Amino acid sequence: MTISWVLLLSCTLLGAIGGFYFKRASDPLMNTYRTLFIGLVCYGSAALINIYVLTLLPYSVVFPLTAITYVWTLLLSYYFLKERIKMRQTIGVGLLVAGAACLVL
């Protein structure tokens, strides 16, 4: 696995973590500004890494593979937010990833 693929996975994970902190910032019991700041840093870092990865890989590869963010989001919501994941959500994310893989492979 080359550095470009590691960076691509990193940016999808950071994007999902940013979204996770945005969700936590919406909780009135949380320290909203700190949580929101962490979310913004993660989201911004993901965007910057994504821009750099676009210099290494074709756009037609990078953009479809950002669908991996949905996998991270599903895992974060299940393990850390204790959300109940329905079968159709799992199937939907699986179809997104399979579709992205078909575009890239």
Side-chain angles (χ1 to χ4, degrees), residues 23-32:
K23 171 66 177 171
R24 296 212 42 197
S26 68
D27 184 349
L29 300 176
M30 295 295 297
N31 182 347
T32 304

Side-chain angles (χ1 to χ4, degrees), residues 62-84:
V62 173
F63 196 72
L65 288 180
T66 57
I68 296 170
T69 301
Y70 297 113
V71 175
W72 299 124
T73 300
L74 207 64
L75 293 172
L76 290 171
S77 62
Y78 179 76
Y79 286 109
F80 294 105
L81 297 175
K82 306 298 181 200
E83 292 183 358
R84 185 174 173 193

Side-chain angles (χ1 to χ4, degrees), residues 3-4 7 46-57:
I3 189 70
S4 56
L7 288 172
L48 292 175
I49 292 170
N50 196 354
I51 291 168
Y52 180 69
V53 170
L54 284 169
T55 65
L56 304 173
L57 295 171

Side-chain angles (χ1 to χ4, degrees), residues 74 77-78 83-94:
L74 207 64
S77 62
Y78 179 76
E83 292 183 358
R84 185 174 173 193
I85 306 299
K86 297 176 183 170
M87 181 57 76
R88 68 185 168 121
Q89 290 173 295
T90 305
I91 292 170
V93 169

